[in-house]
Amino acid sequence: GPLHKNTAAYYNTLKKHNITLVKMVQMTPGDQAMVKAIPGNDQCCDCGMKNPQWASVSFGTVFCLDCSGVHRSLGVHISFVRSIAMDSWTPEQLTLMKLGGNQNCTSYLSSKGILPSTPIKQKYESDVAQLYKLCLKARAEGRPEPTVLPPPKNRSAYVPSNNSGGGRPMTSISSHHSTNGGNKVEDPNGMERLTGESDEQYIARQTRLREEAKARMAAKFGGGGGGMGGVGSGGGGGG
């Protein structure tokens, strides 16, 4: 049927652009046990219900079905929700879960004035939570953890200026270009899907980021990354 035809075309496109699919697998029973054994993960991060089955990759936390619905409603740029048992996971997402944990997240937020009883929307849309998300990502990637959020370009666009006619917010132009709106809460270098990003764009971006990370590691530690620079560098300027 047409589905198979489209699938074949999709894989051919991936092949043509030297794109390898991100390996996504369900958590093994061992991984599930490890995630559930992390301090605080025996109960929902947000309401305390026992045996939570859902997770936010963004915050490395676990929560119950009801709270997972609220997390989903915030959008993937705030909280990227997965089922611990039913969904497939990338190795990077698993790393975030293993380095996170409910207790780590709650302690960090509480230390900066965001109490566990704060409603989910206010809690996770706060600057404190967004900074924690960046800290967790940095920890997973072996980078220094940031101490402040990057400057919010789109928010500063609200500042009235003398020549723009009343300080109209200038977000509508940049927000459609997810790769340019890098200082929105969305992170073009992150694992979370950007607004409006297709499967193909998401996979291509993840592949590029992994190749760049590999190249950085090879440059830093040596170790035979010689053949990598050739990918995509000799292929003419077809447009």
Side-chain angles (χ1 to χ4, degrees):
L3 181 65
H4 293 300
K5 193 175 169 189
N6 290 345
T7 307
Y10 177 57
Y11 282 108
N12 283 337
T13 305
L14 295 179
K15 202 170 172 184
K16 186 173 137 196
H17 295 292
N18 287 325
I19 294 168
T20 48
L21 285 170
V22 180
K23 186 172 170 59
M24 293 187 80
V25 292
Q26 286 191 304
M27 275 198 209
T28 63
D31 283 331
Q32 289 188 42
M34 190 182 291
V35 167
K36 289 176 181 178
I38 292 168
N41 284 11
D42 57 334
Q43 59 183 44
C44 171
C45 192
D46 298 307
C47 76
M49 186 178 280
K50 295 289 180 193
N51 197 26
Q53 297 296 320
W54 294 84
S56 172
V57 179
S58 313
F59 298 100
T61 54
V62 294
F63 34 73
C64 68
L65 177 63
D66 285 351
C67 291
S68 79
V70 187
H71 274 262
R72 278 189 197 281
S73 73
L74 303 179
V76 294
H77 62 291
I78 298 290
S79 186
F80 186 51
V81 178
R82 311 294 288 157
S83 161
I84 293 173
M86 293 183 291
D87 279 325
S88 293
W89 295 71
T90 66
E92 293 87 353
Q93 290 169 345
L94 262 178
T95 300
L96 288 167
M97 294 307 300
K98 290 173 182 176
L99 290 175
N102 288 0
Q103 189 172 296
N104 278 342
C105 183
T106 302
S107 300
Y108 183 94
L109 268 52
S110 298
S111 73
K112 296 184 183 295
I114 306 288
L115 300 177
S117 57
T118 308
I120 291 174
K121 184 175 167 63
Q122 286 94 301
K123 187 192 293 186
Y124 295 105
E125 286 182 350
S126 68
D127 284 353
V128 169
Q130 292 307 301
L131 180 56
Y132 178 74
K133 181 160 73 171
L134 294 180
C135 287
L136 182 60
K137 186 169 179 289
R139 202 178 304 159
E141 293 172 2
R143 293 184 287 108
E145 294 179 24
T147 52
V148 291
L149 281 173
K153 263 189 189 162
N154 285 1
R155 227 178 294 163
S156 64
Y158 265 96
V159 177
S161 73
N162 297 330
N163 57 4
S164 72
R168 253 195 352 255
M170 302 298 284
T171 54
S172 57
I173 300 162
S174 64
S175 60
H176 295 302
H177 303 288
S178 51
T179 47
N180 301 347
N183 279 329
K184 293 197 303 173
V185 181
E186 290 194 346
D187 179 3
N189 296 319
M191 288 181 297
E192 293 170 18
R193 187 180 293 246
L194 302 172
T195 307
E197 190 171 40
S198 70
D199 283 352
E200 192 171 326
Q201 289 167 330
Y202 173 72
I203 291 165
R205 185 168 60 83
Q206 291 304 319
T207 304
R208 176 176 58 77
L209 292 173
R210 276 204 315 284
E211 291 300 327
E212 286 171 3
K214 264 194 239 164
R216 276 199 303 274
M217 293 299 277
K220 193 170 177 183
F221 300 113
M228 240 166 25
V231 175
S233 57

